[in-house]
């Protein structure tokens, strides 16, 4: 089974790196590791668990210099169990990820916390 290292960076808190199996979501792995992340629906229909991709490490992108060569693509780092209905196309293009339904496909860094949640705004279903 493949495992990926995902680093959760908080603006006002500790940074933690957790190992996530390819069939786990970020939220499931965080809970297993004792890292608290906010969540609500667990179906990708709210934005409570949102994070933002800020770094990606793949064989093609293994240096900081290569990360700046092109925008980070969430599709390079994550697959979803179901469609992230709560995110708009521009939000997805800006690197926002719903951690309750996203499973990693690469080692990466995510910004998490209230600031990221505030950037996205309210749930479209609220």
């Amino acid at each position: 089974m493949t495992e990926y290292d995902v680093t959760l960076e908080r603006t006002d808190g500790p940074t933690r790196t957790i190992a996530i199996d390819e069939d786990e979501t970020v939220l499931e792995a965080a809970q297993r590791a004792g890292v608290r992340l906010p969540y609500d629906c667990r179906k990708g229909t709210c934005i409570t668990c949102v994070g933002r991709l800020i770094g990606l490490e793949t064989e093609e992108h293994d240096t900081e210099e290569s990360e700046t060569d092109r925008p980070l693509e969430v599709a390079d780092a994550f697959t979803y169990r179901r469609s992230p209905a709560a995110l708009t196309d521009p939000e997805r293009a800006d690197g926002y990820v719903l951690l309750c339904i996203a499973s990693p496909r690469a080692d990466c860094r995510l910004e998490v916390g209230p600031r990221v949640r505030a950037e996205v705004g309210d749930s479209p279903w609220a």
Side-chain angles (χ1 to χ4, degrees), residues 6-9 52-54 78 99 108-112:
V6 175
T7 300
L8 303 171
E9 297 184 9
R52 186 170 190 197
L53 182 65
I54 56 174
F78 293 96
L99 305 180
C108 61
R109 296 187 337 267
L110 291 168
E111 182 181 8
V112 296

Side-chain angles (χ1 to χ4, degrees), residues 52-98:
R52 186 170 190 197
L53 182 65
I54 56 174
L56 177 62
E57 295 178 28
T58 67
E59 292 179 18
E60 297 172 6
H61 301 276
D62 57 358
T63 66
E64 284 187 31
E65 185 173 308
S66 65
E67 287 182 5
T68 60
D69 290 345
R70 72 178 178 100
L72 295 173
E73 295 286 338
V74 171
D76 292 341
F78 293 96
T79 60
Y80 279 115
R81 287 187 174 170
R82 56 181 58 95
S83 175
L87 292 176
T88 64
D89 290 341
E91 289 167 341
R92 291 181 205 173
D94 284 343
Y96 293 100
V97 181
L98 296 179

